[in-house]
C-alpha cells in the first residue's frame, strides 16, 4: 500500500513545489523548431520628408525559421537559438506604403534564460524569458553585411502533446540597432534619423526532449 500511495503523492508534491517529475528529469535537454512571423519598427525616419520621399524605412514583416537547443534546470531553462529569414525593404509616407523585394537577408543568434512561472503535473510550463541577440543583415538593401547587437524578452508556453514531443509557442519583443546607417541617406533632401529598432514576433513550433 505504501508504494501504491507514494507515486501520486510524489507527483502532487512535485507539482505544488514546481519541481519537474522524474520523467521530466530524465530528459532535460531539448531541441525546438519554430515558425516565427516577425514585424519591425522604423529603422530610419524623417519628420520633413517630401512628397517624393518615404518618411519611414525599415524591414518588411515576414516569416523566419528558428532552431533552438537548450536544457532545463528545474524551473529554469537555458537555450541557444539561431534564425534565418528574408525581408523586403518597407517604406511609407502618410497613408501609403511600398515594399521592395528582395531587401534583407537576416540571420540571428541568441542566448536566452527562461523561468517557469507556472508548471503542471503533466509537464506544461508558462515561462518568461530574456537574453542578448546578434543580428546579421545582408542583401540588396545594404551595401555590405552588417552585425547588430540587441536583446529580446517575452513569454512562452511549452505543452506536451505525445511522448517526448511538445508544442512550443512564444510572444516576444526585441530591441536592436538599426540595420540602416545614416550616411546612406545623406544624399536625400530630407534629414533622416536612425537608432534603435523595435521588433515583435509570435512563434509556434515543436519541441523534442531527450
Amino acid at each position: 500500500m505504501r508504494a501504491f500511495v507514494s507515486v501520486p503523492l510524489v507527483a502532487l508534491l512535485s507539482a505544488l513545489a514546481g519541481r519537474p517529475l522524474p520523467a521530466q528529469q530524465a530528459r532535460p535537454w531539448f531541441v525546438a523548431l519554430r515558425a516565427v512571423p516577425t514585424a519591425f519598427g522604423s529603422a530610419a525616419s524623417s519628420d520633413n520628408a517630401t512628397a517624393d520621399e518615404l518618411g519611414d524605412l525599415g524591414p518588411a514583416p515576414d516569416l523566419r525559421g528558428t532552431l533552438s537547443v537548450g536544457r532545463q534546470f528545474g524551473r529554469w531553462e537555458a537555450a541557444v537559438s539561431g534564425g534565418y529569414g528574408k525581408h523586403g525593404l518597407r517604406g511609407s509616407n502618410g497613408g501609403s506604403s511600398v515594399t521592395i523585394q528582395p531587401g534583407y537577408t537576416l540571420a540571428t543568434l541568441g542566448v536566452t534564460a527562461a523561468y517557469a512561472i507556472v508548471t503542471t503535473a503533466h509537464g506544461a510550463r508558462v515561462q518568461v524569458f530574456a537574453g542578448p541577440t546578434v543580428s546579421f543583415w545582408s542583401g540588396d538593401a545594404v551595401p555590405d553585411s552588417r552585425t547588430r547587437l540587441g536583446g529580446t524578452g517575452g513569454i512562452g508556453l511549452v505543452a506536451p502533446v505525445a511522448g517526448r514531443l511538445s508544442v512550443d509557442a512564444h510572444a516576444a519583443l526585441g530591441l536592436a540597432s538599426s540595420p540602416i546607417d545614416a550616411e546612406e541617406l545623406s544624399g536625400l533632401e530630407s534629414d533622416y534619423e536612425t537608432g534603435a529598432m523595435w521588433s515583435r514576433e509570435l512563434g509556434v513550433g515543436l519541441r523534442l526532449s531527450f
Side-chain angles (χ1 to χ4, degrees):
M1 176 64 72
R2 180 178 301 174
F4 176 78
V5 175
S6 64
V7 174
L9 180 59
V10 169
L12 176 61
L13 294 177
S14 296
L16 292 176
R19 301 190 181 97
L21 299 179
Q24 296 171 280
Q25 292 175 334
R27 302 188 183 98
W29 291 91
F30 66 87
V31 58
L33 184 64
R34 310 178 189 92
V36 185
T38 307
F40 299 90
S42 175
S45 61
S46 173
D47 295 331
N48 61 344
T50 66
D52 298 329
E53 295 176 339
L54 297 172
D56 184 87
L57 299 170
D62 215 321
L63 185 69
R64 292 189 304 122
T66 66
L67 177 66
S68 300
V69 178
R71 192 183 193 281
Q72 293 181 355
F73 305 88
R75 282 183 176 264
W76 288 96
E77 178 179 293
V80 177
S81 302
Y84 180 84
K86 291 183 177 292
H87 301 267
L89 173 60
R90 170 190 52 80
S92 63
N93 192 345
S96 61
S97 63
V98 61
T99 299
I100 301 173
Q101 298 281 6
Y104 297 99
T105 296
L106 173 60
T108 58
L109 181 65
V111 178
T112 55
Y115 181 77
I117 55 177
V118 177
T119 62
T120 71
H122 298 290
R125 302 162 64 96
V126 177
Q127 53 193 22
V128 291
F129 63 90
T133 59
V134 183
S135 301
F136 304 94
W137 296 91
S138 60
D140 293 349
V142 291
D144 50 17
S145 298
R146 292 169 184 175
T147 302
R148 297 292 188 262
L149 301 179
T152 186
I155 187 169
L157 169 67
V158 179
V161 291
R164 296 182 295 164
L165 204 61
S166 301
V167 171
D168 188 315
H170 73 272
L173 291 175
L175 183 64
S177 299
S178 170
I180 299 177
D181 289 335
E183 292 79 6
E184 298 171 11
L185 307 175
S186 59
L188 298 177
E189 182 178 343
S190 304
D191 297 324
Y192 284 83
E193 294 183 357
T194 61
M197 180 180 69
W198 287 95
S199 65
R200 59 187 185 276
E201 64 183 47
L202 294 172
V204 63
L206 293 175
R207 173 186 291 203
L208 180 66
S209 300
F210 59 94

